[in-house]
């Protein structure tokens, strides 16, 4: 009950109590009842509040259920629509099934026709087979007759052959006699050629002895010159008896020795003309300093330049550069790229070779692993065509132009010390290597074509005859004290040891054979052995596989990295 209803009742009750009893005795009881009524009123209010909250919650539940009913009604409508759609699809499927029934009936009729046709063809095939059997029998009878005729012909041919053999027996004997005579004549010519070669060797040895004693016995020069006439006659005879190409290298060496004996020095320097395009603001003095060539030599190579102070932008100049300065392996690798030319070091330095496929692309240079923090310097003067990040693969890259279409690329650097357009001199710092596995990518481009830097650096010895041998080829048992020992005393090692003629390649020489660049040694070998069959321009590579050693024989390009000494072999 509400407060405004209860309070008047309390007042009426109070007045009735006052009227029924004296005021003094009923005052306390009235107060007590008022307090109890007040407590009851509060309890009633609390109960009413609880009931009101419950009603509100029930009302909220009813609202939620009404919303759910609305959603269910929407879903029911959607289900009705889907049911209607499915009914339409079922009707369409029913029509489709009826069409299939018609098609199946047609196919059944067609199958019956095909079956009838096959039966008819089978009957015809049986008739044809009978005819073929009859023909085969006739052919067999004919072949039997032909066989008898052929046997008769063969018998007659055998008789004729026997008669011919008897007639040619005497001719064969005469031919054998003539062959023996020709063989004796050839052996005589070979002995003569061998004598001529011995004469040539004696004369060459005599010249070498004279050269060795030249500082002490200058009087012997006239004697050596007199031997020149005999040498010329010997060479003329050899030219007529032997192929001149086979002795070309020896003749050139002898001519060189004769020039030295006569006191004629080799003063001509091999040079190459590099094309330089003048940039705006460049001077001839700056260009000469960059390439390490004097202004006078540049003007001599460019007759149109009369005044060194008068050159114009984009003018093409020819720069005479020494080939040995550009191609020097020791200068480029040891001084400018800080790489030692020894076998052990090159195994770890060369990571990827020229032409090796990486990530679907052929490598147009070599990838090297150098010490971190090495300063890379310019091997020759030129202009910086590009300096910066080329792409994700190359990273920090410097492209040094040394003439039109000729340039050197240094990629994967940690730092770059130059910028695009700079003119640099030989030995000037270009950048610094980092700590990655491959910290220098090197490319050499000539006339717009990429070259294998490893073949570009080193001296080309030509195409040599390369074979292979194993530790078993000399017939020594494993208990022999020199088993697996080379001629220089070291043990043979696969992917390292190669046998050569020590007169052609001294022991300890380091060579590079591009054919073997995919081997673990990256194609680098050390001359540590020799053999009786290894003479002149021939190499014998040591391997462990006897089958490979037996069948391998090729003419391969070989490059000299560094001439060695037997004392360097470890």
């Amino acid at each position: 009950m509400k407060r405004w209803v209860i309070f008047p009742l309390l007042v009426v009750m109070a007045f009735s109590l006052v009227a029924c009893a004296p005021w003094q005795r009923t005052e306390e009881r009235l107060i007590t009842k008022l307090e109890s009524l007040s407590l009851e009123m509060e309890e009633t209010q609390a109960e009413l509040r609880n009931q009101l909250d419950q009603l509100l919650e029930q009302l909220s539940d009813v609202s939620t259920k009404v919303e759910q009913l609305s959603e269910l009604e929407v879903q029911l409508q959607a289900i009705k629509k889907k049911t209607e759609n499915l009914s339409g699809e079922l009707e369409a499927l029913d029509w489709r099934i009826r069409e299939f029934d018609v098609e199946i009936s047609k196919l059944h009729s067609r199958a019956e026709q095909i079956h009838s046709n096959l039966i008819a063809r089978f009957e015809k095939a049986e008739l044809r087979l009978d005819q073929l059997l009859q023909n085969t029998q006739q052919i067999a009878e004919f072949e039997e007759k032909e066989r008898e005729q052929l046997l008769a012909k063969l018998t007659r041919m055998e008789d004729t052959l026997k008669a011919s053999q008897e007639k040619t027996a005497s001719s064969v004997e005469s031919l054998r006699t003539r062959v023996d005579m020709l063989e004796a004549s050839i052996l005589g010519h070979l002995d003569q050629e061998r004598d001529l070669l011995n004469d040539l060797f004696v004369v060459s040895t005599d010249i070498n002895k004279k050269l060795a004693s030249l500082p002490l016995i200058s009087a012997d020069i006239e004697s050596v010159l007199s031997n020149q006439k005999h040498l010329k006659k010997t060479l003329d005879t050899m030219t007529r008896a032997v192929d001149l190409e086979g002795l070309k290298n020896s003749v050139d060496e002898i001519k060189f020795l004769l020039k030295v004996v006569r006191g004629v020095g080799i003063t001509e320097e091999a040079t190459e003309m590099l094309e330089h395009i003048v940039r705006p603001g460049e001077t001839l003095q700056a260009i000469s300093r960059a390439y390490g060539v004097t202004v006078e030599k540049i003007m001599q190579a460019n007759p149109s330049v009369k005044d060194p102070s008068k050159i114009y932008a984009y003018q093409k100049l020819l720069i005479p550069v020494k080939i040995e300065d550009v191609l020097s392996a020791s200068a480029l690798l040891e001084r400018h790229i800080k790489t030692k030319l020894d076998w052990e070091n090159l195994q770890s330095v060369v990571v990827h070779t020229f032409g090796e496929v990486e990530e679907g692309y052929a490598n147009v240079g070599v990838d090297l692993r150098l010490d971190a923090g090495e300063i890379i310097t310019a091997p020759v003067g030129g202009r910086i065509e590009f300096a910066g990040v080329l792409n994700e693969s190359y990273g920090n890259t410097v492209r040094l132009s040394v003439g039109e279409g000729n340039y050197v690329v240094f990629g994967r650097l940690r730092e770059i010390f130059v910028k695009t357009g700079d003119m640099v001199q030989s030995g000037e710092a270009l950048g610094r290597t980092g700590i990655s596995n491959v910290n220098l990518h090197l490319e050499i481009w000539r006339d717009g074509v990429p070259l294998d830097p490893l073949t570009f650096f080193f001296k080309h010895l030509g195409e040599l005859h390369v074979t292979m041998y194993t530790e078993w080829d000399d017939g020594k048992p494993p208990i022999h004290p020199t088993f697996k020992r080379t001629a220089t005393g070291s043990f043979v090692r696969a992917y390292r040891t190669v046998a050569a003629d020590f007169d052609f390649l001294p022991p300890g020489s380091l060579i590079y054979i591009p054919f073997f660049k995919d081997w673990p040694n990256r194609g680098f070998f050390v001359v540590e052995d020799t053999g009786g069959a290894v003479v002149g321009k021939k190499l014998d590579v040591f391997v462990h596989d006897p089958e490979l050693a037996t069948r391998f024989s090729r003419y391969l390009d070989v490059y000299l990295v560094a001439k060695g000494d037997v004392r360097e072999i470890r």
Side-chain angles (χ1 to χ4, degrees):
M1 297 176 66
K2 294 184 179 180
R3 184 177 297 179
W4 61 272
V5 177
I6 297 172
F7 185 74
L9 292 175
L10 293 175
V11 173
V12 173
M13 291 176 66
F15 278 109
S16 62
L17 290 173
V18 171
C20 294
W23 174 258
Q24 292 83 4
R25 289 182 297 178
T26 61
E27 182 178 359
E28 293 178 359
R29 287 183 292 178
L30 181 61
I31 292 171
T32 303
K33 287 183 179 182
L34 286 173
E35 289 177 354
S36 63
L37 288 173
S38 178
L39 291 173
E40 289 178 0
M41 183 182 65
E42 290 177 357
E43 291 176 357
T44 303
Q45 288 178 349
E47 185 178 355
L48 289 173
R49 288 193 190 94
N50 292 333
Q51 291 177 358
L52 181 61
D53 292 337
Q54 291 176 0
L55 288 173
L56 291 173
E57 290 178 358
Q58 291 176 359
L59 181 61
S60 176
D61 293 339
V62 170
S63 299
T64 303
K65 289 180 179 180
V66 170
E67 292 177 355
Q68 292 177 353
L69 287 174
S70 300
E71 293 177 356
L72 289 173
E73 185 177 0
V74 173
Q75 293 177 0
L76 182 61
Q77 294 295 332
I79 291 171
K80 287 181 179 179
K81 290 182 180 179
K82 288 183 179 179
T83 304
E84 293 175 356
N85 294 334
L86 288 174
S87 298
E89 292 178 358
L90 287 173
E91 291 178 359
L93 287 173
D94 187 39
W95 281 104
R96 188 63 177 164
I97 290 170
R98 293 176 184 176
E99 292 176 354
F100 282 150
D101 290 338
V102 174
E103 293 292 333
I104 290 171
S105 299
K106 292 180 180 179
L107 290 174
H108 184 68
S109 302
R110 180 62 178 166
E112 290 179 352
Q113 293 177 0
I114 292 172
H115 180 68
S116 301
N117 293 334
L118 288 174
I119 291 174
R121 290 183 180 182
F122 181 74
E123 292 175 353
K124 291 180 180 179
E126 285 183 341
L127 294 175
R128 181 61 178 167
L129 181 60
D130 293 337
Q131 295 176 358
L132 288 174
L133 290 174
Q134 294 176 1
N135 293 336
T136 302
Q137 187 175 0
Q138 294 175 359
I139 291 171
E141 294 175 355
F142 177 77
E143 287 180 350
E144 184 66 25
K145 293 179 181 179
E146 288 291 327
R147 188 180 298 107
E148 293 176 356
Q149 294 177 0
L150 287 173
L151 287 174
K153 289 181 180 180
L154 286 173
T155 303
R156 290 195 298 270
M157 290 176 66
E158 287 179 355
D159 296 338
T160 305
L161 181 60
K162 289 180 180 179
S164 299
Q165 287 177 348
E166 293 175 356
K167 291 180 181 179
T168 56
S170 58
S171 299
V172 170
E173 290 297 330
S174 62
L175 286 174
R176 286 179 179 173
T177 304
R178 293 181 63 185
V179 168
D180 292 338
M181 293 174 62
L182 288 173
E183 184 178 0
S185 176
I186 291 171
L187 290 175
H189 284 295
L190 290 175
D191 292 337
Q192 183 181 3
E193 291 177 4
R194 191 179 296 108
D195 293 338
L196 292 174
L197 287 172
N198 290 333
D199 291 342
L200 178 61
F201 177 75
V202 171
V203 174
S204 300
T205 304
D206 187 36
I207 291 175
N208 289 330
K209 290 180 180 179
K210 298 299 182 183
L211 287 173
S213 59
L214 184 61
L216 300 177
I217 50 172
S218 58
D220 289 342
I221 294 178
E222 295 180 359
S223 175
V224 175
L225 292 175
S226 64
N227 287 333
Q228 179 189 0
K229 296 180 180 179
H230 176 67
L231 176 62
K232 186 176 183 303
K233 292 180 181 179
T234 305
L235 289 174
D236 292 339
T237 306
M238 288 294 296
T239 302
R240 291 191 296 269
V242 186
D243 184 11
L244 182 60
E245 291 297 326
L247 299 174
K248 184 178 180 181
N249 294 331
S250 299
V251 172
D252 291 340
E253 292 178 2
I254 293 171
K255 288 181 179 179
F256 175 79
L257 293 175
L258 291 175
K259 285 183 180 180
V260 175
V261 171
R262 291 173 179 172
V264 179
I266 300 177
T267 58
E268 182 181 359
E269 295 179 345
T271 59
E272 180 174 344
M273 292 297 178
L274 301 181
E275 190 175 88
H276 176 85
I277 300 177
V278 180
R279 291 173 60 86
E282 280 186 341
T283 63
L284 198 59
Q285 288 76 12
I287 296 173
S288 68
R289 287 195 301 270
Y291 286 99
V293 182
T294 63
V295 174
E296 290 75 15
K297 288 186 177 181
I298 296 177
M299 293 180 66
Q300 289 175 4
N302 300 271
S304 61
V305 179
K306 305 298 183 182
D307 187 345
S309 62
K310 293 182 179 179
I311 59 174
Y312 54 88
Y314 308 109
Q315 179 181 1
K316 290 184 179 180
L317 297 177
L318 296 178
I319 311 298
V321 180
K322 293 181 181 179
I323 294 178
E324 57 268 23
D325 288 345
V326 179
L327 306 184
S328 173
S330 60
L332 186 57
L333 291 179
E334 293 184 342
R335 184 166 70 245
H336 299 290
I337 304 181
K338 312 299 187 298
T339 300
K340 294 181 180 180
L341 297 179
D342 61 71
W343 185 84
E344 286 79 6
N345 183 62
L346 290 173
Q347 305 310 299
S348 60
V349 168
V350 180
V351 180
H352 299 127
T353 56
F354 181 83
E356 186 174 344
V357 178
E358 299 178 71
E359 299 179 357
Y361 296 94
N363 194 355
V364 294
V366 292
D367 294 329
L368 306 177
R369 183 194 298 113
L370 307 179
D371 292 336
E374 290 287 357
I375 302 298
I376 305 302
T377 58
V380 67
R383 180 191 299 112
I384 303 299
E385 278 194 356
F386 177 83
V389 178
L390 184 60
N391 53 40
E392 184 178 355
S393 177
Y394 279 70
N396 288 328
T397 303
V398 174
R399 184 162 67 182
L400 172 64
S401 174
V402 292
E404 190 68 21
N406 304 319
Y407 48 87
V408 185
V409 178
F410 303 89
R412 300 188 183 180
L413 297 171
R414 188 182 70 182
E415 295 180 72
I416 296 177
F417 302 148
V418 293
K419 61 181 182 297
T420 302
D422 286 352
M423 292 295 297
V424 297
Q425 302 179 25
S426 176
E428 187 171 341
L430 302 177
R432 187 195 309 272
T433 60
I435 60 174
S436 58
N437 181 50
V438 175
N439 54 13
L440 180 63
H441 174 76
L442 180 64
E443 296 178 9
I444 303 290
W445 292 73
R446 188 166 190 172
D447 296 329
V449 178
L451 304 177
D452 181 358
L454 298 181
T455 62
F456 187 79
F457 298 152
F458 310 131
K459 179 182 178 182
H460 187 211
L461 298 177
E463 281 194 354
L464 307 188
H465 185 201
V466 180
T467 55
M468 294 183 178
Y469 75 105
T470 68
E471 61 267 38
W472 308 101
D473 288 359
D474 57 3
K476 296 177 183 177
I479 60 174
H480 196 280
T482 61
F483 181 70
K484 289 189 176 182
R485 286 278 187 179
T486 66
T488 57
S490 62
F491 284 101
V492 290
R493 292 172 58 183
Y495 307 119
R496 172 186 169 100
T497 302
V498 65
D501 186 345
F502 286 169
D503 292 333
F504 176 62
L505 284 174
S509 295
L510 181 61
I511 61 174
Y512 172 62
I513 307 177
F515 181 83
F516 301 110
K517 64 184 179 181
D518 294 330
W519 281 20
N521 62 344
R522 297 301 183 186
F524 293 99
F525 297 89
V526 180
V527 177
E528 297 178 317
D529 204 358
T530 188
V534 184
V535 180
K537 293 188 174 183
K538 183 178 180 181
L539 298 176
D540 213 9
V541 177
F542 174 78
V543 294
H544 289 299
D545 187 352
E547 182 180 355
L548 177 62
T550 301
R551 56 185 171 83
F552 189 90
S553 177
R554 291 174 178 266
Y555 283 87
L556 304 176
D557 287 312
V558 180
Y559 296 82
L560 177 63
V561 179
K563 277 195 174 183
D565 192 318
V566 69
R567 292 171 297 180
E568 297 178 1
I569 299 178
R570 293 183 289 275

PDB file of all heavy atoms in Angstrom, residues 224-234:
ATOM      1  N   VAL A 224     126.879 -17.709 -81.210  1.00  0.00           N
ATOM      2  CA  VAL A 224     125.439 -17.961 -81.229  1.00  0.00           C
ATOM      3  C   VAL A 224     124.832 -17.498 -82.542  1.00  0.00           C
ATOM      4  O   VAL A 224     123.971 -18.152 -83.132  1.00  0.00           O
ATOM      5  CB  VAL A 224     124.762 -17.253 -80.037  1.00  0.00           C
ATOM      6  CG1 VAL A 224     123.254 -17.393 -80.118  1.00  0.00           C
ATOM      7  CG2 VAL A 224     125.274 -17.838 -78.734  1.00  0.00           C
ATOM      8  N   LEU A 225     125.303 -16.343 -83.036  1.00  0.00           N
ATOM      9  CA  LEU A 225     124.786 -15.847 -84.306  1.00  0.00           C
ATOM     10  C   LEU A 225     125.135 -16.779 -85.453  1.00  0.00           C
ATOM     11  O   LEU A 225     124.359 -16.944 -86.399  1.00  0.00           O
ATOM     12  CB  LEU A 225     125.331 -14.443 -84.577  1.00  0.00           C
ATOM     13  CG  LEU A 225     124.822 -13.342 -83.639  1.00  0.00           C
ATOM     14  CD1 LEU A 225     125.516 -12.025 -83.938  1.00  0.00           C
ATOM     15  CD2 LEU A 225     123.324 -13.185 -83.796  1.00  0.00           C
ATOM     16  N   SER A 226     126.313 -17.391 -85.371  1.00  0.00           N
ATOM     17  CA  SER A 226     126.661 -18.345 -86.423  1.00  0.00           C
ATOM     18  C   SER A 226     125.763 -19.572 -86.372  1.00  0.00           C
ATOM     19  O   SER A 226     125.426 -20.156 -87.399  1.00  0.00           O
ATOM     20  CB  SER A 226     128.125 -18.768 -86.279  1.00  0.00           C
ATOM     21  OG  SER A 226     128.315 -19.465 -85.052  1.00  0.00           O
ATOM     22  N   ASN A 227     125.362 -19.922 -85.133  1.00  0.00           N
ATOM     23  CA  ASN A 227     124.435 -21.054 -85.018  1.00  0.00           C
ATOM     24  C   ASN A 227     123.059 -20.726 -85.587  1.00  0.00           C
ATOM     25  O   ASN A 227     122.271 -21.611 -85.883  1.00  0.00           O
ATOM     26  CB  ASN A 227     124.271 -21.465 -83.551  1.00  0.00           C
ATOM     27  CG  ASN A 227     125.497 -22.168 -83.019  1.00  0.00           C
ATOM     28  OD1 ASN A 227     126.242 -22.782 -83.786  1.00  0.00           O
ATOM     29  ND2 ASN A 227     125.715 -22.072 -81.709  1.00  0.00           N
ATOM     30  N   GLN A 228     122.789 -19.421 -85.719  1.00  0.00           N
ATOM     31  CA  GLN A 228     121.489 -19.023 -86.250  1.00  0.00           C
ATOM     32  C   GLN A 228     121.291 -19.553 -87.668  1.00  0.00           C
ATOM     33  O   GLN A 228     120.200 -19.975 -88.044  1.00  0.00           O
ATOM     34  CB  GLN A 228     121.361 -17.502 -86.236  1.00  0.00           C
ATOM     35  CG  GLN A 228     120.029 -17.006 -86.797  1.00  0.00           C
ATOM     36  CD  GLN A 228     120.013 -15.511 -86.980  1.00  0.00           C
ATOM     37  OE1 GLN A 228     121.003 -14.851 -86.688  1.00  0.00           O
ATOM     38  NE2 GLN A 228     118.911 -14.989 -87.462  1.00  0.00           N
ATOM     39  N   LYS A 229     122.381 -19.509 -88.480  1.00  0.00           N
ATOM     40  CA  LYS A 229     122.254 -19.990 -89.854  1.00  0.00           C
ATOM     41  C   LYS A 229     121.909 -21.476 -89.869  1.00  0.00           C
ATOM     42  O   LYS A 229     121.046 -21.922 -90.615  1.00  0.00           O
ATOM     43  CB  LYS A 229     123.562 -19.741 -90.601  1.00  0.00           C
ATOM     44  CG  LYS A 229     123.900 -18.260 -90.761  1.00  0.00           C
ATOM     45  CD  LYS A 229     125.203 -18.079 -91.508  1.00  0.00           C
ATOM     46  CE  LYS A 229     125.545 -16.594 -91.665  1.00  0.00           C
ATOM     47  NZ  LYS A 229     126.834 -16.403 -92.378  1.00  0.00           N
ATOM     48  N   HIS A 230     122.641 -22.224 -89.008  1.00  0.00           N
ATOM     49  CA  HIS A 230     122.332 -23.649 -88.933  1.00  0.00           C
ATOM     50  C   HIS A 230     120.901 -23.877 -88.445  1.00  0.00           C
ATOM     51  O   HIS A 230     120.188 -24.760 -88.932  1.00  0.00           O
ATOM     52  CB  HIS A 230     123.325 -24.333 -87.994  1.00  0.00           C
ATOM     53  CG  HIS A 230     123.017 -25.796 -87.776  1.00  0.00           C
ATOM     54  ND1 HIS A 230     123.123 -26.744 -88.774  1.00  0.00           N
ATOM     55  CD2 HIS A 230     122.589 -26.446 -86.664  1.00  0.00           C
ATOM     56  CE1 HIS A 230     122.788 -27.927 -88.302  1.00  0.00           C
ATOM     57  NE2 HIS A 230     122.455 -27.773 -87.012  1.00  0.00           N
ATOM     58  N   LEU A 231     120.466 -23.036 -87.480  1.00  0.00           N
ATOM     59  CA  LEU A 231     119.101 -23.142 -86.970  1.00  0.00           C
ATOM     60  C   LEU A 231     118.086 -22.862 -88.069  1.00  0.00           C
ATOM     61  O   LEU A 231     117.078 -23.550 -88.197  1.00  0.00           O
ATOM     62  CB  LEU A 231     118.910 -22.158 -85.810  1.00  0.00           C
ATOM     63  CG  LEU A 231     117.502 -22.069 -85.217  1.00  0.00           C
ATOM     64  CD1 LEU A 231     117.092 -23.407 -84.635  1.00  0.00           C
ATOM     65  CD2 LEU A 231     117.458 -20.991 -84.150  1.00  0.00           C
ATOM     66  N   LYS A 232     118.353 -21.852 -88.899  1.00  0.00           N
ATOM     67  CA  LYS A 232     117.428 -21.521 -89.979  1.00  0.00           C
ATOM     68  C   LYS A 232     117.301 -22.675 -90.962  1.00  0.00           C
ATOM     69  O   LYS A 232     116.213 -23.030 -91.411  1.00  0.00           O
ATOM     70  CB  LYS A 232     117.894 -20.262 -90.701  1.00  0.00           C
ATOM     71  CG  LYS A 232     116.910 -19.740 -91.752  1.00  0.00           C
ATOM     72  CD  LYS A 232     117.406 -18.454 -92.351  1.00  0.00           C
ATOM     73  CE  LYS A 232     116.363 -17.919 -93.329  1.00  0.00           C
ATOM     74  NZ  LYS A 232     116.035 -18.868 -94.386  1.00  0.00           N
ATOM     75  N   LYS A 233     118.469 -23.283 -91.304  1.00  0.00           N
ATOM     76  CA  LYS A 233     118.413 -24.429 -92.212  1.00  0.00           C
ATOM     77  C   LYS A 233     117.603 -25.568 -91.587  1.00  0.00           C
ATOM     78  O   LYS A 233     116.805 -26.224 -92.249  1.00  0.00           O
ATOM     79  CB  LYS A 233     119.826 -24.903 -92.526  1.00  0.00           C
ATOM     80  CG  LYS A 233     120.634 -23.909 -93.367  1.00  0.00           C
ATOM     81  CD  LYS A 233     122.027 -24.460 -93.630  1.00  0.00           C
ATOM     82  CE  LYS A 233     122.851 -23.468 -94.460  1.00  0.00           C
ATOM     83  NZ  LYS A 233     124.222 -23.967 -94.716  1.00  0.00           N
ATOM     84  N   THR A 234     117.844 -25.791 -90.284  1.00  0.00           N
ATOM     85  CA  THR A 234     117.110 -26.863 -89.602  1.00  0.00           C
ATOM     86  C   THR A 234     115.615 -26.591 -89.590  1.00  0.00           C
ATOM     87  O   THR A 234     114.794 -27.471 -89.840  1.00  0.00           O
ATOM     88  CB  THR A 234     117.617 -27.009 -88.156  1.00  0.00           C
ATOM     89  OG1 THR A 234     119.027 -27.214 -88.186  1.00  0.00           O
ATOM     90  CG2 THR A 234     116.942 -28.191 -87.463  1.00  0.00           C
TER      91      THR A 234
END
